[in-house]
Amino acid sequence: MAAGAAQPWSEDLGRRDRTETLSVQEGFPGAGQWVTVTFTATGESPAWAGTSPARAVRNVSAQWPHLIDMWLPNQDLSVNRANESSVSKSGAQRLAGRRQGRRFRKPKAGMPSSLLWAVDVHGRVYSLSTAGQYWELCKDESLQFKRLAAVKQCCWGIACDHQIYVYVHSSEVPIHYQEETYENQRWNPVDGFSDRLLPSDRWQWSDVTGLIHQPLDEFKLASPHWEWESDWYVDENIGGEPTEKGGWTYAIDFPATYTKDKRWNSCVRRRRWIRYRRYNACDMWAKIPLQETGPLPDPFNDIAVGGWEITDEPLGHLSVWAVTVQGKVFYRENINDQNPEGSMWTEIQTPGEVVQITCGPGDLLCAVLWEGQLMVREGVNRENPKGSSWKIVEPPNSENGLVQVSVGVNVLWAVTRDRRVWFRRGVCSENPVGTGWICMNIEMVMVNVGLNDQVWGIGYEDRNIYFRHGVTPTEYSGKAWKVIVASREHDRASRTGSATSLASAGCFFGDEVRLPSQVSISSEVDFSLEMDKLAKKTENVLETIGERAGCPHASGDRDGDVASRPDIEKKYADVANIFETIPLMEISSEKWTQPVAERCVSQAPYLMDQGGPLQHGAELIIVHSDSNIMSSDPAETSSVSSVGTYPFGIEEHCVSDEHPLWAWISGGGCEVEAHTQLNWFTPQSGQPFSQQSFSMPISCTQQTVWRKQIVHQLTERSKRELQDFKHYEQAVEQSVWIKKGAMQWWRDGKPHKWIDVKVALEQFTGNDGKRDGIFFIYYTFNDEKKYLHVFSNEITILVPIANETKHSFAIYTPERTKQRWPIRLATTTEQEMYDWLAVLSLACCDSRDLHGPPSNQALWSVTCKGDIFISEPTPNLEAAQHPLPSDQLYWRQIGGHLRIIESNSQGIVWGIGYDHTAWVYTGGYGGGFFQGLASSTDNIYTQTDVMCVYIYENQRWNPVTGYSSRRLPTDRYMWSDASGLQECTKAHTKPPSQWTWVSDWYIDFNAPGGTDREGWQFAADFPASYHGYKTIKDFVRRRRWARKCKIVTTGPWFEVGPVALRDISLIPCVSQKADDASALWAVSSKGDVLCRLGITKQNALGVSWLHIGTDQPFVSVSIGGYYQVWAIARDGAAFYRGSVSPQNCTGDCWYHIPPPSKQKLIQVSVGQTSVYTVDENGNLWFRQGISPSYPQGSCWQHVSTNVRKVSVGPLDQVWIVADKVQGSHSLSCGTVCRRMGVQPREPTGSSWDYGIGGGWDHITIRANSMESSHNLVPMASDNTSMNLPNQDGTVSDNSRSSLIVDEQQELNGSAVNC
């Protein structure tokens, strides 16, 4: 552990108007992070008053044992302490109630934490994290709130002044908003281009349409929470291409198509002026300003936030609805990620006075009228998020109308005037009105629906917060109500009582004596007497054990065992009895136990539904849990035996008398799923001792002498017994292990089909101790029994196959890689497949003596399924003469699921999932389906990923019905995949293996090529090029439907939040020193360019993101040797970042580099001196002319076709993932290939060497910096490289070689598409 410089220790510690603060920092091994814990106490004598730092920590360990338990043994503690004067009249009381400085940055598994927001009856706002167990008080205590409406990125609230405030969570990428205006000019014969415009022209300064007057001086900041980042400047790019100096674009007239080139008929011109403003009110309550124009809303009474699933244009769109005290409904316009406050209020007409409103993530919107009726908003969609009309729904009981409702995606919960809770059946996007009401028979103040349709409520009698347990996509009503017993932060600080326990098998109490309270004096005296007796009794037993153990052959029996002697056995039993018969010290007074148990929050009721699923009028029963039983967790003790925990020093006033009474709750930003483990429902440390047991931290100083003697005696005895048998020969020299099973095998020869086979894996150990194995496949062909076999040291990769009908996997060898024809096997169940994969992988690693985590030089790759593979390179892999063929590399799998992965030679590895979440490698191995010896026991975390499954709805036009599902016999299926060859309907489409659905089907408006308002794309026929508008020649149309699915797995990956990423790049060749910084650049999912600060070998996670300004969104970035940074913009142009260095990690400016003619670049990779890019048509390009004096290069050189991804290493080696690669059985997609003949004089190489065949999506070789010679002419390897045709069909022996031969050939149906 470490801490900052400690401040001088003050002796003035007795004043009541001062607050003492002790801060301790701790480092978590393997995570590269520090934890800061701040203890605050108010009163005359804090636990650490007047002591040294070391003693202060020991005293704190007695007062806050639940926090000290996190610290590891044998580590040094450094503390710093500061005094803080009170400025309020209430002095210490106010400081005791303030929010504590508790900030943890621990590694967390699974999904990122989210917040549950609540307001107590005093108007104070609290938040509870899904990863925490304490309510944290909001920073701004001067405001008192009535209502809250939260989402993930922010929280909206109504304060007691009836005004609306927003709390925006800070992000590593600041919130920017781009203001723009256009300067327009017209040409005349006298002045040329000037500001003199015709009366019919647009304004001189206008918006892009020319209809709104927008001079520069009329742009004002939207609110005090914004600030200008820069002055106005001219945008000198049009579509990613630079314009002439001044940024002017020309056209014939207003409006028209503008170009950068001035022509003889260009009569008008315009240029765009840009200015950015930045939002500076994050992590604080910002008041929404009153609008200067339009009707001024009345004071507000209720608010609702949702609608983020309606549309993603613009990014972060939110629908904010509010109700005034007069019952009017208002909608906040233009709320998104770049404008979190919105622009103005728009009144929505209603048929009556509204008292409350609620909005779900999608298109569900409901309101409650003053008369108790429910109003449902209809017509809410992508084009009209405000909806079109209201529909009245009668309440469940005419005598008791509704007072409050809450909606989600497919649920509606309500509370009536008699405080009854009701559930609305049949609510969904297609039927927002629902079908009927179900009574829950429980009284609550209010209910709230959050993410995933989870439900929270506030009890009517006790004002506790309840969580609806058992809510799933198949049972929206849930099963039971569970009370949340999380306490508040300041409640912990106000407790002056403490509880500690003995260490495992030890009784060390340190050298500091703390005066006990009168209640516990007698208990401590009795406890001390018991410990004295225990020590004497233990010493006698140990002496006897030592005497007997010292003479193992005293009886003359050489084969005798010390432990088998009756007297020694009895002594060992005595030791165990000593530990087991220590009486548990009960609390000395029932007067203390009973009142506390009655007041304890943890005894709040647990409400369960009786009789399984809820029916109409179902009754609920209350079950009280018995929380007075003291328990001990043997897992928290160590070594010799399990020992209970013993209370001592319990003080009377250890529980705060103040019970939190809640008034409002919002779970719209709280993500809870079925597998989520929450710490909300169990008592926390600091609760009454009758509710829990504590354990002291175990450190070197707490190991007593007698405990060490036990361990020492047993260790010595074991050594002596083994030494007597060293001269014996080994009974078995070789061992054989066989695993058998039944599978199906895809026949190599014709007819190609699945046949039943028997398989067996035989492993054996030779005299030299090395393990090897053979895998047999027994089958019958033409009534003749035959078999295949493959040695485990010949297998190069074992990979699962993406197959919806079979649980299958592929086995590659070098020869089968050349043929693109692996051994394909299928099992009956998915679990059986993964069991075989784990066994075979372990056998292959045993035969190669390859275990543990990958080396820093490892090659990393990702399959189309998201599986992660690594390969250890050899020194001759990139050798100039006789290089190792790439099909002989062995690839092994590790747990996790990623889409992109990047690494460097420091051992730093980052990845990005399908849901754009960033992950960093922790140094472990295994995970996933690997168990036992095949997986590390630490640094393995839960990993989740979310992706979309797409199907297409196809229609053809006919003169009678227009577009319909009536198709021609030659047409594709009306519901199909993207190719149209497979029928895919909503009902029969299943998620991939190991994935589960997390959403319903919805129309995807972001399909490539654009869509119309209903999501349709049009074309002349199937298949063709689709566009988002209808023309007279379009006779077919399609639209894409999407559904999200989720996978939960494990692997050596730690989540990096909260910024979603699209691309990453690590500098490939850096120093090997652990404390040297490593550069990482990334592109966010929004197109922002980011630079990660503080990344080192010891802290691969880094510290924070730094935003790099751009004029347009980017899609790819790469940093190479000598800090060369290249990037690709969304319009396909390339950019070079100038002046990037270790001292100037962000560089100065971007240099625009036009793409190859008529091509749009999508990916870039930079090596030591080489720059390669890939365009959207699969062409691979090399940048020529790069030199230190001209780092932008001069021109693009075409290298190859049919390339999906490229990776350039620190030695300028080039590896790609290629499509449509020629094999012995037609073509295969997703093949890993390496460029041969790369040398300084020929940086583009000469030919391709084929590696893994079929089913790969990404590879990185940027960590392989093993030096190789480049001055020798490369020789042809056994894996013959080929010169392939160029784009024009000619074959050449220069660097311009292609990867494919014939577009007419059919894709290899037997190739593995993983």
Side-chain angles (χ1 to χ4, degrees), residues 894-896 922 926-928 939-943 1049-1054:
I894 65 172
T922 61
N939 293 328
I940 300 295
Y941 301 100
T942 301
Q943 184 179 11
T1049 183
T1050 59
W1053 303 98
F1054 172 58

PDB file of all heavy atoms in Angstrom, residues 894-896 922 926-928 939-943 1049-1054:
ATOM      1  N   ILE A 894      -8.524 -18.974 -25.565  1.00  0.00           N
ATOM      2  CA  ILE A 894      -8.712 -18.529 -24.190  1.00  0.00           C
ATOM      3  C   ILE A 894     -10.126 -17.982 -24.072  1.00  0.00           C
ATOM      4  O   ILE A 894     -10.781 -17.653 -25.062  1.00  0.00           O
ATOM      5  CB  ILE A 894      -7.681 -17.456 -23.765  1.00  0.00           C
ATOM      6  CG1 ILE A 894      -7.873 -16.170 -24.575  1.00  0.00           C
ATOM      7  CG2 ILE A 894      -6.278 -17.972 -23.895  1.00  0.00           C
ATOM      8  CD1 ILE A 894      -7.020 -15.027 -24.057  1.00  0.00           C
ATOM      9  N   GLY A 895     -10.610 -17.881 -22.857  1.00  0.00           N
ATOM     10  CA  GLY A 895     -11.980 -17.461 -22.627  1.00  0.00           C
ATOM     11  C   GLY A 895     -12.205 -16.001 -22.982  1.00  0.00           C
ATOM     12  O   GLY A 895     -11.288 -15.188 -23.023  1.00  0.00           O
ATOM     13  N   GLY A 896     -13.458 -15.679 -23.221  1.00  0.00           N
ATOM     14  CA  GLY A 896     -13.843 -14.315 -23.536  1.00  0.00           C
ATOM     15  C   GLY A 896     -14.569 -14.241 -24.856  1.00  0.00           C
ATOM     16  O   GLY A 896     -14.694 -15.242 -25.589  1.00  0.00           O
ATOM     17  N   THR A 922      -5.943  -9.229 -18.395  1.00  0.00           N
ATOM     18  CA  THR A 922      -5.507  -9.200 -17.000  1.00  0.00           C
ATOM     19  C   THR A 922      -4.287 -10.048 -16.713  1.00  0.00           C
ATOM     20  O   THR A 922      -3.787 -10.040 -15.592  1.00  0.00           O
ATOM     21  CB  THR A 922      -6.653  -9.676 -16.092  1.00  0.00           C
ATOM     22  OG1 THR A 922      -6.994 -11.031 -16.453  1.00  0.00           O
ATOM     23  CG2 THR A 922      -7.876  -8.781 -16.254  1.00  0.00           C
ATOM     24  N   GLY A 926      -7.213 -19.232 -19.833  1.00  0.00           N
ATOM     25  CA  GLY A 926      -8.362 -20.093 -19.620  1.00  0.00           C
ATOM     26  C   GLY A 926      -9.648 -19.290 -19.566  1.00  0.00           C
ATOM     27  O   GLY A 926      -9.835 -18.315 -20.286  1.00  0.00           O
ATOM     28  N   GLY A 927     -10.560 -19.687 -18.680  1.00  0.00           N
ATOM     29  CA  GLY A 927     -11.877 -19.096 -18.643  1.00  0.00           C
ATOM     30  C   GLY A 927     -12.782 -19.752 -19.666  1.00  0.00           C
ATOM     31  O   GLY A 927     -12.388 -20.659 -20.399  1.00  0.00           O
ATOM     32  N   GLY A 928     -14.015 -19.317 -19.747  1.00  0.00           N
ATOM     33  CA  GLY A 928     -14.935 -19.922 -20.689  1.00  0.00           C
ATOM     34  C   GLY A 928     -15.211 -21.371 -20.321  1.00  0.00           C
ATOM     35  O   GLY A 928     -15.549 -21.693 -19.172  1.00  0.00           O
ATOM     36  N   ASN A 939      -7.535 -13.601 -11.821  1.00  0.00           N
ATOM     37  CA  ASN A 939      -7.592 -12.716 -12.991  1.00  0.00           C
ATOM     38  C   ASN A 939      -8.600 -13.192 -14.031  1.00  0.00           C
ATOM     39  O   ASN A 939      -8.477 -12.870 -15.212  1.00  0.00           O
ATOM     40  CB  ASN A 939      -6.211 -12.566 -13.650  1.00  0.00           C
ATOM     41  CG  ASN A 939      -5.238 -11.820 -12.760  1.00  0.00           C
ATOM     42  OD1 ASN A 939      -5.637 -10.945 -11.991  1.00  0.00           O
ATOM     43  ND2 ASN A 939      -3.971 -12.166 -12.841  1.00  0.00           N
ATOM     44  N   ILE A 940      -9.591 -13.967 -13.624  1.00  0.00           N
ATOM     45  CA  ILE A 940     -10.680 -14.394 -14.496  1.00  0.00           C
ATOM     46  C   ILE A 940     -11.951 -13.673 -14.034  1.00  0.00           C
ATOM     47  O   ILE A 940     -12.316 -13.756 -12.865  1.00  0.00           O
ATOM     48  CB  ILE A 940     -10.882 -15.922 -14.460  1.00  0.00           C
ATOM     49  CG1 ILE A 940      -9.598 -16.624 -14.923  1.00  0.00           C
ATOM     50  CG2 ILE A 940     -12.049 -16.324 -15.337  1.00  0.00           C
ATOM     51  CD1 ILE A 940      -9.231 -16.372 -16.366  1.00  0.00           C
ATOM     52  N   TYR A 941     -12.594 -12.981 -14.957  1.00  0.00           N
ATOM     53  CA  TYR A 941     -13.775 -12.201 -14.620  1.00  0.00           C
ATOM     54  C   TYR A 941     -14.932 -12.573 -15.547  1.00  0.00           C
ATOM     55  O   TYR A 941     -14.742 -13.109 -16.637  1.00  0.00           O
ATOM     56  CB  TYR A 941     -13.493 -10.698 -14.747  1.00  0.00           C
ATOM     57  CG  TYR A 941     -12.372 -10.212 -13.864  1.00  0.00           C
ATOM     58  CD1 TYR A 941     -11.095 -10.006 -14.380  1.00  0.00           C
ATOM     59  CD2 TYR A 941     -12.568  -9.989 -12.513  1.00  0.00           C
ATOM     60  CE1 TYR A 941     -10.054  -9.575 -13.575  1.00  0.00           C
ATOM     61  CE2 TYR A 941     -11.541  -9.549 -11.701  1.00  0.00           C
ATOM     62  CZ  TYR A 941     -10.288  -9.344 -12.242  1.00  0.00           C
ATOM     63  OH  TYR A 941      -9.283  -8.914 -11.428  1.00  0.00           O
ATOM     64  N   THR A 942     -16.118 -12.262 -15.091  1.00  0.00           N
ATOM     65  CA  THR A 942     -17.305 -12.438 -15.924  1.00  0.00           C
ATOM     66  C   THR A 942     -17.312 -11.387 -17.027  1.00  0.00           C
ATOM     67  O   THR A 942     -17.060 -10.213 -16.778  1.00  0.00           O
ATOM     68  CB  THR A 942     -18.576 -12.315 -15.084  1.00  0.00           C
ATOM     69  OG1 THR A 942     -18.565 -13.310 -14.060  1.00  0.00           O
ATOM     70  CG2 THR A 942     -19.811 -12.501 -15.950  1.00  0.00           C
ATOM     71  N   GLN A 943     -17.605 -11.826 -18.245  1.00  0.00           N
ATOM     72  CA  GLN A 943     -17.634 -10.923 -19.390  1.00  0.00           C
ATOM     73  C   GLN A 943     -18.960 -11.088 -20.111  1.00  0.00           C
ATOM     74  O   GLN A 943     -19.446 -12.195 -20.322  1.00  0.00           O
ATOM     75  CB  GLN A 943     -16.478 -11.249 -20.347  1.00  0.00           C
ATOM     76  CG  GLN A 943     -16.376 -10.279 -21.523  1.00  0.00           C
ATOM     77  CD  GLN A 943     -15.214 -10.607 -22.450  1.00  0.00           C
ATOM     78  OE1 GLN A 943     -14.616 -11.661 -22.326  1.00  0.00           O
ATOM     79  NE2 GLN A 943     -14.912  -9.731 -23.377  1.00  0.00           N
ATOM     80  N   THR A1049     -20.051 -14.958 -20.341  1.00  0.00           N
ATOM     81  CA  THR A1049     -18.962 -15.935 -20.269  1.00  0.00           C
ATOM     82  C   THR A1049     -17.923 -15.440 -19.276  1.00  0.00           C
ATOM     83  O   THR A1049     -18.149 -14.451 -18.574  1.00  0.00           O
ATOM     84  CB  THR A1049     -18.353 -16.151 -21.666  1.00  0.00           C
ATOM     85  OG1 THR A1049     -17.347 -17.163 -21.585  1.00  0.00           O
ATOM     86  CG2 THR A1049     -17.756 -14.883 -22.223  1.00  0.00           C
ATOM     87  N   THR A1050     -16.803 -16.114 -19.213  1.00  0.00           N
ATOM     88  CA  THR A1050     -15.700 -15.704 -18.337  1.00  0.00           C
ATOM     89  C   THR A1050     -14.404 -15.706 -19.123  1.00  0.00           C
ATOM     90  O   THR A1050     -14.275 -16.418 -20.129  1.00  0.00           O
ATOM     91  CB  THR A1050     -15.564 -16.638 -17.125  1.00  0.00           C
ATOM     92  OG1 THR A1050     -15.343 -17.981 -17.587  1.00  0.00           O
ATOM     93  CG2 THR A1050     -16.809 -16.604 -16.258  1.00  0.00           C
ATOM     94  N   GLY A1051     -13.461 -14.942 -18.663  1.00  0.00           N
ATOM     95  CA  GLY A1051     -12.161 -14.875 -19.312  1.00  0.00           C
ATOM     96  C   GLY A1051     -11.252 -13.899 -18.608  1.00  0.00           C
ATOM     97  O   GLY A1051     -11.678 -13.162 -17.701  1.00  0.00           O
ATOM     98  N   PRO A1052      -9.983 -13.847 -19.015  1.00  0.00           N
ATOM     99  CA  PRO A1052      -9.020 -12.943 -18.370  1.00  0.00           C
ATOM    100  C   PRO A1052      -9.152 -11.518 -18.891  1.00  0.00           C
ATOM    101  O   PRO A1052      -8.203 -10.939 -19.411  1.00  0.00           O
ATOM    102  CB  PRO A1052      -7.668 -13.568 -18.741  1.00  0.00           C
ATOM    103  CG  PRO A1052      -7.917 -14.208 -20.063  1.00  0.00           C
ATOM    104  CD  PRO A1052      -9.339 -14.705 -20.039  1.00  0.00           C
ATOM    105  N   TRP A1053     -10.342 -10.948 -18.761  1.00  0.00           N
ATOM    106  CA  TRP A1053     -10.621  -9.628 -19.304  1.00  0.00           C
ATOM    107  C   TRP A1053     -11.310  -8.784 -18.252  1.00  0.00           C
ATOM    108  O   TRP A1053     -12.231  -9.246 -17.583  1.00  0.00           O
ATOM    109  CB  TRP A1053     -11.491  -9.734 -20.562  1.00  0.00           C
ATOM    110  CG  TRP A1053     -10.876 -10.585 -21.608  1.00  0.00           C
ATOM    111  CD1 TRP A1053     -11.138 -11.898 -21.865  1.00  0.00           C
ATOM    112  CD2 TRP A1053      -9.838 -10.195 -22.520  1.00  0.00           C
ATOM    113  NE1 TRP A1053     -10.349 -12.356 -22.879  1.00  0.00           N
ATOM    114  CE2 TRP A1053      -9.541 -11.333 -23.309  1.00  0.00           C
ATOM    115  CE3 TRP A1053      -9.155  -9.001 -22.757  1.00  0.00           C
ATOM    116  CZ2 TRP A1053      -8.573 -11.309 -24.300  1.00  0.00           C
ATOM    117  CZ3 TRP A1053      -8.194  -8.981 -23.750  1.00  0.00           C
ATOM    118  CH2 TRP A1053      -7.909 -10.120 -24.504  1.00  0.00           C
ATOM    119  N   PHE A1054     -10.849  -7.530 -18.146  1.00  0.00           N
ATOM    120  CA  PHE A1054     -11.401  -6.582 -17.188  1.00  0.00           C
ATOM    121  C   PHE A1054     -12.011  -5.403 -17.954  1.00  0.00           C
ATOM    122  O   PHE A1054     -11.384  -4.849 -18.855  1.00  0.00           O
ATOM    123  CB  PHE A1054     -10.297  -6.089 -16.244  1.00  0.00           C
ATOM    124  CG  PHE A1054     -10.726  -4.967 -15.341  1.00  0.00           C
ATOM    125  CD1 PHE A1054     -11.798  -5.125 -14.491  1.00  0.00           C
ATOM    126  CD2 PHE A1054     -10.046  -3.750 -15.327  1.00  0.00           C
ATOM    127  CE1 PHE A1054     -12.190  -4.098 -13.655  1.00  0.00           C
ATOM    128  CE2 PHE A1054     -10.437  -2.729 -14.511  1.00  0.00           C
ATOM    129  CZ  PHE A1054     -11.506  -2.903 -13.661  1.00  0.00           C
TER     130      PHE A1054
END
